[in-house]
Amino acid sequence: MAQDSKIEWTDHTFNPWVGCTNISPGCDHCYAESWSKRSGLVKWGNQPRRRTSEAYWRTPLKWQAGAASFMARHGRRQRVFCASLADVFDNKADKTWRRDLFDLIEATPDLDWLLLTKRPQNILKMLPPNWPASGKPNVWLGATAENQDHFDQRWPVLAMVPAVIRFISYEPAIGPLRLRTSGPQPDWLISGGESGHGARPMHPQWARDIVADCERFGVAAFHKQWGSFLNNPLCFEMGLSAKEAEALDAHGKGGGLLDGRLCRNFPENRRLSIIAA
Ligand code: SF4
């Protein structure tokens, strides 16, 4: 459980507990499930979740204590991805653990907590009773949408939840996805291809289309990675070998350049304007 994350869009990861149940095709090659098998620390599926240690739970308080110096060095707040080895809005997780998590979030107002779920239908009933009508200033809420069907199911649900930032993780992208032409839009969208053994392909055009939609509708787009050089346009369309492509594009797994540019935007400006309003 890394305290300083290698994930390009966060500074830290925090797992209040570990363990989850696969619920959609995006879970088929779940990194956390593979990790659970390697570590033997928790059984996957409809099995008890395992709360992480008290010492580990104190780590965000250290990040909070260092917030002023982080801001002085980086000119922005720290981001905490919660959770990489579980789902915060999992029905099988102990309610008191989630209550403790929200207490921790309350105690760390200078950290931006990025809560990402595949179960947005549970968010409203699992938020603390004092959740502000405009969202909590240090909580961004996100849903994973691995393809259009899951975006169409999950985004309308997430769009109804009060949050200063709502985001979509289109990763692993296993099918095309386009934003709606009407109605609310997410503030931020992360895209990325699947990596690892047996990874499913991501067509370069899917990334072009969703980034173009984001630019059209004012959504901050963050293209994280291609997952595999097989998906990278340098190989897929221009015929370079993986080694040749890697020399030109060393960003993320399988490279991350989208037609020669790095597309890595964040929605902070929107968050600041909401809080100031
Ligand atoms: S919801 Fe996330 S953590 Fe849970 S099984 Fe699916 S991919 Fe893994």
Side-chain angles (χ1 to χ4, degrees), residues 142-173:
T144 300
E146 59 264 51
N147 56 21
Q148 191 74 52
D149 281 354
H150 287 88
F151 178 79
D152 292 345
Q153 288 168 26
R154 292 172 182 157
W155 167 243
V157 178
L158 179 63
M160 300 297 290
V161 182
V164 291
I165 295 289
R166 297 183 196 89
F167 66 100
I168 290 292
S169 173
Y170 174 34
E171 185 185 13

Side-chain angles (χ1 to χ4, degrees), residues 20-23 26-27 30 32-33 44 84-87 118-119:
C20 193
T21 305
N22 300 25
I23 57 159
C27 302
C30 174
E33 182 179 8
W44 215 249
S84 63
L85 301 174
D87 187 325
K118 283 196 177 71
R119 298 165 170 87

Side-chain angles (χ1 to χ4, degrees), residues 232-243:
N232 191 308
L234 293 171
C235 302
F236 188 87
E237 295 172 336
M238 297 173 68
L240 270 62
S241 68
K243 201 169 172 192

